[in-house]
Amino acid sequence: MRKTGNMENQRRSVTIRDVAETAGVSVSTVSRVLNGKVDVAKETKNHILSIIDDLGYSTNLAARSMRSQKKNLIGLIMPDIAYPFAIEVMKGVNRAIAESEFDLLVYTSGDVRKRGRVTSEQKYITLLAKSISDGVIVVAPVASEYNIDKPIVSIDPVMSHPNYPSVHATNYEGSRAAMEYLIGLGHKRIGFINGRTELESANRRLSGYRDALKKNGIPIKEELIASGDYTTETGVKCGRQLLSLKNRPTAIFASNDQMAMGVYQVAEEMGLRIPEDFSLVGFDNISESKYLGLTTVDQFISEQGYGAMQMLIQIINEVPLEKQTLKVQTQLVVRSSCREYHES
Amino acid sequence: MRKTGNMENQRRSVTIRDVAETAGVSVSTVSRVLNGKVDVAKETKNHILSIIDDLGYSTNLAARSMRSQKKNLIGLIMPDIAYPFAIEVMKGVNRAIAESEFDLLVYTSGDVRKRGRVTSEQKYITLLAKSISDGVIVVAPVASEYNIDKPIVSIDPVMSHPNYPSVHATNYEGSRAAMEYLIGLGHKRIGFINGRTELESANRRLSGYRDALKKNGIPIKEELIASGDYTTETGVKCGRQLLSLKNRPTAIFASNDQMAMGVYQVAEEMGLRIPEDFSLVGFDNISESKYLGLTTVDQFISEQGYGAMQMLIQIINEVPLEKQTLKVQTQLVVRSSCREYHES
DNA sequence: GTGAAAGCGCTAACAT
DNA sequence: ATGTTAGCGCTTTCAC
């Protein structure tokens, strides 16, 4: 039954040829059945189908991808799959995928550092895009241009004006909103914990912080700006740094919720209460912060994933995009009101 | 610079041939450089490398996969990517990936139903496995056998004794532990909310429930067993059902934490307090239940992902597996003690 | 050290 | 309705 050719001990898997030979038809007929073409006699088709079943044949993705255009596969490329932002994006993309005709292939090297070390982002994108998918979504890409002919949409790109469509939250506006809220409460000494400065999104949040102070005539004190990297650990570090200043800030605005969580921990350690002793606001709304009643700026990350997928599908179907940039609105979520503060 | 051949408007992407022609060498030489073979003159190599850089060439995964064995790619196949169990598995796999030489490709059709509808699980597994990866991890597979020659490891398989290595939690033991805890507290009327009965894991949890009652001489009342499907919604439904019995259970054990969350919501609605009015325990430990202080049975899902990946790597490297089944120990986590209860 | 040629498994254009 | 043929882009003998 199984054609073994020569005495190689390598187990070969069953190919379209095996099916064709067993069924006594040509390879192309099998291919036609496989691809649902109509011009195949019903009985031939059924015969082939049963042989396929018998042999447990299934198509070779690689081979197929080489020949045909449409692959019904979308690639999602992320540096790391296990951090909150990535997971939220995936949820959104996944939802769009479920509603679509496409399947999803998520690619990751598991770790930002490993990826950077081994080879460039460009390589992976091209790999997935040119080879086996109809288009790709890239999270936080660093390059401003990719020379592939496949559709590409990015989420939270590092560059402010990349040459590909992109999706991002209104980081500046959200940051402004948070600050206006705190300032409106009477705060004048507001600490800021910065995120990964290589990301445009982080810089926009910082700008929001600075501009809000400026517009309200509050002098910017560099000692109140701590630099973190979006992890809870640096949140702890920066929280300690800010809260142990002789002239402690009356409020802290963290550039993401993970770092806000860190500050929260420090506050507990130091016996400081929120909001009595100081106010705390965090960007993002994905971590435990919501269970702690923290005030946050929600950037609707999963909507960004969903939106990116929608854009991509449009491009693939050659529907012209109205805008190259999709802005997902941020929203200030006040859970437990922050402390009102007025200088004595 | 770009070879366009005929006047097709289809943009072709740059191939190994383009590189070869531009560099004035043969395709095979370029291939040698690409694959780090040693028998290439240093200057030829550098020349080709710079051309590759100029042209922005990157290899076609599909084509390469067709020819060579080792792909340094692991496939993870999941019916759906956006539910807590899946995410936890991914985290664990991701961690193992980050420590390894492999990259990860997660495949999903986004929705269990869609997947079942379009085509069989077998097809997707074979697709990924035979085509482009060195081995696959499958979450909650339904078939007990796969005819592929690539390594495969499953997590929480539906069958109790599949013909492939598998990883799962000690569901029965965990369930017993939770029940012994509740019974030890004096409870006699303990409600159970069942999960998806097609999963072996769910059945084991139910067995644990039944056996614990039996061993302790407590009669099993079928009215106390409600059937859910692991979603919060059915948790709500079953919670209502159990809590509105005339003879209300004094404790409820939900087959996963999502459903326990649902019961928690119902309790709030009905004005019932936990643990004063009744005790609540949930299997799993991944949802918000931990912030609500619920008692849970942790099944260490991400460890299951990590373990599966370790097993897979062993198989790929042809290290014999000691056991075909990896059992990850469950652990009862008592957050806020449940109510002690003694029949009057 | 390098090139020519075969062929991986498949699809699609062209025959019949 | 089915078979024949020509590649897709790549790796890998086997020559030279």
Side-chain angles (χ1 to χ4, degrees):
Chain A
M1 186 85 44
R2 165 100 29 98
K3 181 170 181 301
T4 329
N6 35 28
M7 58 220 60
E8 53 192 13
N9 60 355
Q10 282 270 159
R11 273 184 301 168
R12 280 203 327 94
S13 68
V14 23
T15 74
I16 197 173
R17 262 195 71 192
D18 299 325
V19 176
E21 286 178 5
T22 313
V25 296
S26 78
V27 182
S28 40
T29 304
V30 179
S31 175
R32 282 191 189 95
V33 172
L34 251 26
N35 292 284
K37 305 284 195 237
V38 283
D39 54 348
V40 183
K42 192 156 278 175
E43 48 180 26
T44 325
K45 180 176 170 181
N46 289 141
H47 182 215
I48 292 176
L49 248 25
S50 78
I51 301 278
I52 286 179
D53 209 45
D54 283 2
L55 262 41
Y57 166 81
S58 97
T59 194
N60 182 317
L61 230 201
R64 168 177 297 204
S65 295
M66 274 185 63
R67 299 296 298 140
S68 57
Q69 277 311 301
K70 198 70 187 308
K71 301 158 193 353
N72 281 319
L73 217 47
I74 296 294
L76 173 60
I77 299 168
M78 354 186 75
D80 187 338
I81 219 171
Y83 64 111
F85 188 94
I87 290 173
E88 285 300 310
V89 168
M90 279 185 19
K91 283 186 186 170
V93 171
N94 188 70
R95 183 156 51 87
I97 285 288
E99 295 168 0
S100 79
E101 67 198 309
F102 295 94
D103 285 346
L104 181 67
L105 219 39
V106 184
Y107 177 87
T108 182
S109 61
D111 190 314
V112 188
R113 288 165 307 146
K114 181 178 158 197
R115 181 195 194 185
R117 182 160 42 89
V118 176
T119 173
S120 69
E121 159 188 289
Q122 164 80 48
K123 177 177 164 188
Y124 284 115
I125 291 179
T126 323
L127 220 59
L128 256 199
K130 74 164 9 171
S131 302
I132 50 178
S133 69
D134 299 310
V136 290
I137 297 175
V138 197
V139 174
V142 291
S144 65
E145 191 166 5
Y146 295 100
N147 58 341
I148 54 170
D149 48 4
K150 287 284 180 57
I152 180 171
V153 174
S154 73
I155 294 176
D156 195 20
V158 166
M159 311 292 291
S160 46
H161 298 293
N163 290 329
Y164 38 78
S166 61
V167 177
H168 55 79
T170 53
N171 291 292
Y172 178 80
E173 293 79 359
S175 183
R176 280 297 293 269
M179 288 301 290
E180 298 295 348
Y181 169 69
L182 287 173
I183 293 172
L185 253 32
H187 290 281
K188 297 230 181 310
R189 286 186 63 77
I190 305 176
F192 182 78
I193 303 183
N194 208 352
R196 293 172 46 200
T197 50
E198 71 273 22
L199 296 177
E200 180 68 12
S201 52
N203 293 325
R204 294 186 162 277
R205 292 172 198 178
L206 177 56
S207 297
Y209 168 79
R210 288 185 185 281
D211 289 358
L213 291 178
K214 215 174 294 171
K215 290 271 159 52
N216 287 276
I218 302 173
I220 297 170
K221 299 220 170 65
E222 293 301 330
E223 80 210 48
L224 289 181
I225 303 180
S227 36
D229 64 2
Y230 283 155
T231 62
T232 304
E233 291 79 56
T234 58
V236 169
K237 197 199 72 179
C238 296
R240 281 217 185 87
Q241 180 188 324
L242 292 176
L243 291 175
S244 46
L245 287 174
K246 328 125 272 306
N247 199 356
R248 197 160 59 209
T250 62
I252 288 181
F253 177 33
S255 192
N256 82 342
D257 60 345
Q258 304 255 85
M259 296 194 298
M261 288 293 300
V263 176
Y264 188 93
Q265 285 176 28
V266 172
E268 284 201 327
E269 275 173 33
M270 297 177 69
L272 294 172
R273 287 157 309 159
I274 301 172
E276 291 82 357
D277 295 320
F278 76 100
S279 296
L280 179 58
V281 175
F283 217 103
D284 286 1
N285 183 16
I286 45 183
S287 76
E288 301 88 336
S289 63
K290 50 177 160 291
Y291 301 108
L292 303 178
L294 291 190
T295 291
T296 55
V297 180
D298 194 337
Q299 58 168 323
F300 301 105
I301 300 169
S302 87
E303 288 310 311
Q304 294 180 49
Y306 189 80
M309 186 60 204
Q310 299 290 20
M311 288 173 82
L312 192 54
I313 291 178
Q314 273 193 42
I315 301 174
I316 290 172
N317 294 333
E318 292 175 2
V319 178
L321 235 45
E322 290 190 14
K323 289 177 188 158
Q324 290 293 305
T325 307
L326 173 65
K327 290 189 182 188
V328 174
Q329 296 299 319
T330 52
Q331 184 185 340
L332 182 70
V333 182
V334 178
R335 290 218 181 62
S336 65
S337 58
C338 290
R339 170 199 185 191
E340 270 198 59
Y341 189 88
H342 301 286
E343 293 273 325
S344 54
Chain B
M1 188 81 46
R2 167 102 26 98
K3 180 171 181 297
T4 329
N6 35 29
M7 57 219 61
E8 54 192 10
N9 61 354
Q10 282 270 160
R11 271 183 301 167
R12 283 202 326 93
S13 66
V14 26
T15 74
I16 198 174
R17 263 194 70 193
D18 299 326
V19 175
E21 286 178 5
T22 312
V25 296
S26 77
V27 181
S28 36
T29 305
V30 178
S31 174
R32 282 191 189 97
V33 172
L34 251 26
N35 292 283
K37 305 284 195 236
V38 283
D39 55 347
V40 183
K42 189 156 281 174
E43 48 179 29
T44 324
K45 180 175 169 181
N46 289 142
H47 182 215
I48 292 177
L49 248 24
S50 76
I51 300 279
I52 287 179
D53 209 45
D54 283 1
L55 263 42
Y57 166 83
S58 96
T59 195
N60 182 316
L61 230 201
R64 167 176 299 202
S65 294
M66 276 185 61
R67 303 293 297 143
S68 58
Q69 279 310 302
K70 196 70 186 307
K71 301 158 197 341
N72 282 318
L73 216 47
I74 296 295
L76 173 59
I77 298 169
M78 352 186 78
D80 186 340
I81 221 172
Y83 64 110
F85 189 94
I87 291 172
E88 284 300 309
V89 168
M90 279 184 21
K91 284 186 187 172
V93 172
N94 187 72
R95 182 156 52 89
I97 285 288
E99 295 168 0
S100 80
E101 65 199 308
F102 295 95
D103 285 346
L104 180 67
L105 221 38
V106 184
Y107 176 86
T108 183
S109 61
D111 190 312
V112 187
R113 288 165 307 144
K114 180 178 158 195
R115 183 194 194 183
R117 180 159 44 89
V118 176
T119 175
S120 71
E121 160 187 290
Q122 164 80 48
K123 176 178 162 186
Y124 284 115
I125 292 178
T126 324
L127 219 60
L128 254 201
K130 74 164 12 169
S131 303
I132 51 177
S133 69
D134 299 310
V136 290
I137 297 175
V138 197
V139 174
V142 292
S144 66
E145 192 166 5
Y146 295 101
N147 58 342
I148 54 168
D149 49 3
K150 286 284 180 57
I152 182 171
V153 174
S154 75
I155 294 176
D156 195 21
V158 167
M159 311 291 292
S160 45
H161 298 294
N163 290 328
Y164 39 79
S166 61
V167 177
H168 55 78
T170 55
N171 290 292
Y172 178 82
E173 293 78 358
S175 183
R176 281 296 295 269
M179 289 300 292
E180 298 294 350
Y181 168 69
L182 287 172
I183 294 171
L185 252 32
H187 291 280
K188 297 229 182 311
R189 285 186 62 78
I190 304 176
F192 182 78
I193 303 182
N194 207 352
R196 293 171 45 200
T197 51
E198 71 273 23
L199 296 176
E200 180 68 14
S201 51
N203 294 325
R204 292 186 163 276
R205 292 173 197 179
L206 177 57
S207 297
Y209 168 80
R210 288 185 183 282
D211 288 0
L213 290 177
K214 214 174 294 173
K215 291 272 159 51
N216 287 277
I218 302 174
I220 296 171
K221 300 219 170 62
E222 294 300 331
E223 80 212 46
L224 289 181
I225 303 181
S227 35
D229 63 2
Y230 283 156
T231 62
T232 305
E233 291 79 58
T234 59
V236 169
K237 195 199 71 175
C238 296
R240 280 213 187 90
Q241 179 188 325
L242 292 175
L243 291 175
S244 45
L245 287 173
K246 332 123 269 302
N247 199 357
R248 196 160 60 209
T250 62
I252 290 181
F253 176 34
S255 193
N256 82 342
D257 59 348
Q258 303 255 86
M259 296 195 297
M261 288 291 301
V263 176
Y264 188 92
Q265 285 175 28
V266 172
E268 284 201 328
E269 276 174 31
M270 298 178 67
L272 294 172
R273 286 157 312 160
I274 301 172
E276 290 81 358
D277 295 319
F278 74 101
S279 295
L280 178 58
V281 175
F283 216 104
D284 286 2
N285 182 16
I286 45 182
S287 77
E288 301 88 336
S289 63
K290 49 179 162 294
Y291 301 107
L292 303 178
L294 291 189
T295 292
T296 55
V297 180
D298 193 337
Q299 57 169 322
F300 301 105
I301 301 170
S302 87
E303 286 310 310
Q304 295 181 47
Y306 188 81
M309 185 63 204
Q310 300 289 22
M311 286 173 84
L312 192 54
I313 290 178
Q314 273 192 42
I315 301 173
I316 290 173
N317 294 334
E318 292 174 2
V319 179
L321 235 45
E322 289 191 14
K323 287 177 188 156
Q324 291 291 307
T325 307
L326 174 65
K327 290 189 183 187
V328 174
Q329 297 298 318
T330 52
Q331 185 185 339
L332 182 69
V333 181
V334 179
R335 288 218 182 61
S336 64
S337 58
C338 289
R339 171 198 185 194
E340 272 198 58
Y341 189 88
H342 300 287
E343 295 272 326
S344 54

